[in-house]
Structure formats: C-alpha cells, structure tokens
Amino acid sequence: MKFGVSYFGNRMPWYVQKDLEMLKKVGFEIIVHTYSENDFKFYEKTMKKIAQMSKEMGFETWADPWGWGGIFGGEAFSGFLQNNMSEAQIGNDGRQKGSVCLRSERFKEYMKQWIDSVKEARFDAIFWDEPHFHIPTPVTDFPEKWTCRCERCRSSFKERYGYEMPVEYNDDISDFRNDSAIEFFKQMTEYAKQKGLKNIVCFLPFETDLFGIRDFESIAKLSSVDDIGTDPYWFAFGLPMNPFVENASKTIKKLSQEYNKTNHMWLQGFKVPHDREQELIEGFKTMKDHQIEKVFFWGVYACEHISSISPDNPKRTWEIILKIVESSR
Ligand SMILES: [Zn+2]
C-alpha cells in the first residue's frame, strides 16, 4: 500500500520544500501537484522547480489539470474559457455555460501545450481529475437541462445519427456525450503516453449520465490509461460511508484487474464535519480490505488553508490522516 496526498495553495518553493520534507518523513510516497490554468499561465517555471524538487526528494509526481476548462475537478477558474467564449458548452436552452466543449479543437491544442510543459517539468504522470460535462444547478434539472448543443456538437451529432440534435435529451444524446468524453481522453492520454507520461484517471464516484461518463469501463479500457481510481467523498455527497466506499472500491478493483491497470482511491480530508474525523480510519480500512493499491488524501494539511472546503476541525482531521499513514508504514 502506498500513500499520496494533493498539494496546493503555495507557490513559494522554499516553503514547498519544508512541507515536502515533512510529508516524506510521515511516509507519503506520491505527491499530486495541482497545476491549474493559472499556474500554467503565470507560474510555469515555478511549477517546474516544484516538480523537480519533489522528484529529487524521492516522490512519485503527478500533475493535476485542476479545474481546467471547467471540465476537471478543482477550486480553480478557467482563463482559457474567459478568452475563448466560443469554445464553451452550450445548454439546450441555447446559453453558454462555464465549461469548455469536449469537442473544442482549440482547447485540446491548449491542453497539449500543457502536457508538453508537464513533460518538460519531469512529472511522472498526469492525474486526470474528475472529468465531467457541465453540471446544472440544481442537479435535479438534469436531464431537462443538458449540454452540449454547440455548433460543433450539433454538426457531428447529425453526421453520426442522421438527424438534427434534438433539444430534448434522448438515448442518442447520452451515447454521444459518453463518446465525446472517450474521444477526448483517447486523444489526450495518447498524446501524453507518447511523451512517456503515465495516465491516471480519477472518476467522479458515480457512473451516471449526469456527469457525461456513463461507464468507467469505456475509459478504463483505453490502452493509453495506466491507472484508474475514484473518490467516494461521503461527507460531500451526504451519504453514509458504506456501502458507498465499499461499492466504489469493488468497481475500481474489478475494472483494474479486468484491464490490467493499477488502481487508487481517495479519502475526503476536506469539509469533514465535527466529530466525524474517525470515519476516515473506517474508510481507509474498507479500501485496504478491497486491496486498493494506493490511497490518497485530499489534501495537504486537511485543506485548512482553503477556507471554502476546510474541515470543521482541520487540525484533528490532519492528525487522523497522519495517524493512518504512520501506522501503516
Ligand atoms: Zn459542444
């Protein structure tokens, strides 16, 4: 069992180094550096320093396209979308949404430039974090409200199905969205693979039309994907820990065996409610029982420094996380 943690919120290498030394001492072996569009635009050389420093300290290093295009998870905005509004997903109400279209060639080109940069910084892998279509608010509006009905999508839908893309959601749209996600990932992961980077995919923890990736399998089986995982954050979804974690672990374990991939899972170290910190230990045990190979925590210092998702008691949450890692060494 290996442990990893995500790192963000600080771009000063001299402080990053201190944190990394502490994490190494505790027993973490993999570090996931968030690498947002903002970082790419304004901190590229700094990111290179941080990546190399992590590598030199013996960490396996993963780069996370945090919040990229609004189609990946993360507390970060998309500058690309701000400057290229024609590349946005369009709702069936005809309005632009705050997420980029997965069929946007311009966005894919931009992503490839980032992959080049990730390679140059000598990261080991790309951590494709929670890919999803635009999610309507409230979520119950789906499938009455859905994306993407932009010109690109409408024309390729018509070519494929022989009729105009309807305004009302149907099975063909569901297939089309899933296929758009597969095509996007096939192109991006193959590009990264050619450069010698590993591809790690972390799915949102439900196989559902709502997120646009109906089944993990269609992406897990891509030959360019090396590792799969998911993040059953039970506090965030307002669910009891089990059977949520149990089912997610089973699904990932089974798929990874079937397609000969390595696997990983995430535990929620953010927004942990008062007096429920101990549940992380139980969640970890469930993952361990299902022989998950790598367990990750989101994120460093239990996210104390990111107030929008900080736990009620971040110090206690971080202590529990450290206890899990230290006692498993
Ligand atoms: Zn589109």
Side-chain angles (χ1 to χ4, degrees):
M1 167 85 69
K2 277 187 179 178
F3 290 100
V5 67
S6 59
Y7 190 93
F8 51 86
N10 169 30
R11 293 294 175 243
M12 287 175 259
W14 47 97
Y15 287 124
V16 176
Q17 179 153 2
K18 285 184 185 169
D19 289 334
L20 291 179
E21 279 165 4
M22 176 275 293
L23 295 170
K24 190 78 196 161
K25 213 166 143 190
V26 171
F28 289 102
E29 293 178 78
I30 309 169
I31 194 101
V32 179
H33 284 296
T34 61
Y35 194 163
S36 67
E37 288 188 40
N38 198 70
D39 289 322
F40 185 41
K41 191 159 178 70
F42 301 111
Y43 293 80
E44 191 182 4
K45 284 182 188 153
T46 313
M47 290 309 292
K48 199 170 168 179
K49 261 189 203 164
I50 290 174
Q52 288 177 358
M53 174 194 293
S54 311
K55 194 79 200 139
E56 278 158 21
M57 288 173 72
F59 284 103
E60 185 177 325
T61 54
W62 297 4
D64 178 346
W66 212 37
W68 269 66
I71 58 170
F72 291 101
E75 288 70 27
F77 290 121
S78 172
F80 173 88
L81 201 57
Q82 196 173 29
N83 294 313
N84 300 275
M85 291 179 74
S86 62
E87 308 304 298
Q89 288 181 33
I90 306 282
N92 62 332
D93 57 3
R95 289 165 189 252
Q96 286 177 322
K97 307 295 171 188
S99 308
V100 85
C101 172
L102 275 80
R103 291 185 173 270
S104 162
E105 292 303 326
R106 208 183 294 173
F107 182 69
K108 287 185 213 169
E109 280 314 309
Y110 190 48
M111 206 86 254
K112 283 181 184 171
Q113 288 172 27
W114 176 73
I115 295 171
D116 292 343
S117 172
V118 166
K119 177 62 193 173
E120 208 188 297
R122 294 196 281 135
F123 275 99
D124 296 306
I126 294 183
F127 174 67
W128 301 102
D129 188 352
E130 297 181 336
H132 59 273
F133 272 70
H134 177 76
I135 302 167
T137 359
V139 290
T140 45
D141 279 355
F142 183 86
E144 199 185 311
K145 291 184 182 167
W146 58 272
T147 57
C148 176
R149 207 171 169 276
C150 75
E151 283 303 324
R152 280 172 299 266
C153 289
R154 283 166 70 171
S155 106
S156 80
F157 182 93
K158 193 174 179 185
E159 208 173 288
R160 196 170 298 196
Y161 296 96
Y163 69 102
E164 280 294 337
M165 193 181 216
V167 173
E168 250 175 64
Y169 201 78
N170 68 11
D171 289 347
D172 289 340
I173 294 170
S174 165
D175 287 346
F176 184 77
R177 278 164 47 108
N178 207 50
D179 287 348
S180 302
I182 298 166
E183 284 162 31
F184 177 85
F185 276 100
K186 193 168 182 310
Q187 288 176 34
M188 293 302 106
T189 55
E190 279 177 1
Y191 186 80
K193 189 90 178 167
Q194 281 164 13
K195 304 217 154 245
L197 288 159
K198 280 201 291 179
N199 289 298
I200 321 285
V201 180
C202 177
F203 300 105
L204 278 164
F206 298 102
E207 297 179 286
T208 162
D209 259 4
L210 171 65
F211 301 145
I213 297 175
R214 258 182 346 205
D215 66 302
F216 298 168
E217 188 172 4
S218 51
I219 288 178
K221 71 180 179 192
L222 293 175
S223 61
S224 46
V225 169
D226 299 286
D227 186 298
I228 54 165
T230 188
D231 48 7
Y233 294 152
W234 64 92
F235 302 121
F237 284 96
L239 292 169
M241 185 199 73
N242 276 326
F244 191 23
V245 175
E246 212 166 67
N247 291 340
S249 304
K250 274 184 199 160
T251 305
I252 290 300
K253 180 72 187 170
K254 187 170 168 284
L255 267 181
S256 67
Q257 281 177 327
E258 214 169 314
Y259 292 103
N260 200 23
K261 314 286 178 176
T262 51
N263 65 56
H264 75 279
M265 295 278 284
W266 285 84
L267 281 164
Q268 182 178 347
F270 61 90
K271 251 188 178 168
V272 178
H274 261 303
D275 296 327
R276 293 186 62 188
E277 299 86 1
Q278 294 284 341
E279 288 180 33
L280 291 177
I281 298 174
E282 296 308 311
F284 166 66
K285 280 183 185 154
T286 304
M287 293 174 183
K288 198 177 167 194
D289 289 346
H290 288 85
Q291 295 155 326
I292 293 300
E293 295 157 13
K294 300 177 290 294
V295 170
F296 287 79
F297 299 88
W298 196 284
V300 71
Y301 296 121
C303 305
E304 178 171 1
H305 56 303
I306 175 164
S307 57
S308 61
I309 59 166
S310 182
D312 287 338
N313 191 332
K315 295 268 188 299
R316 198 183 302 157
T317 307
W318 187 234
E319 269 168 31
I320 296 278
I321 292 173
L322 296 184
K323 197 170 131 189
I324 293 172
V325 179
E326 282 168 342
S327 64
S328 310
R329 288 176 72 189

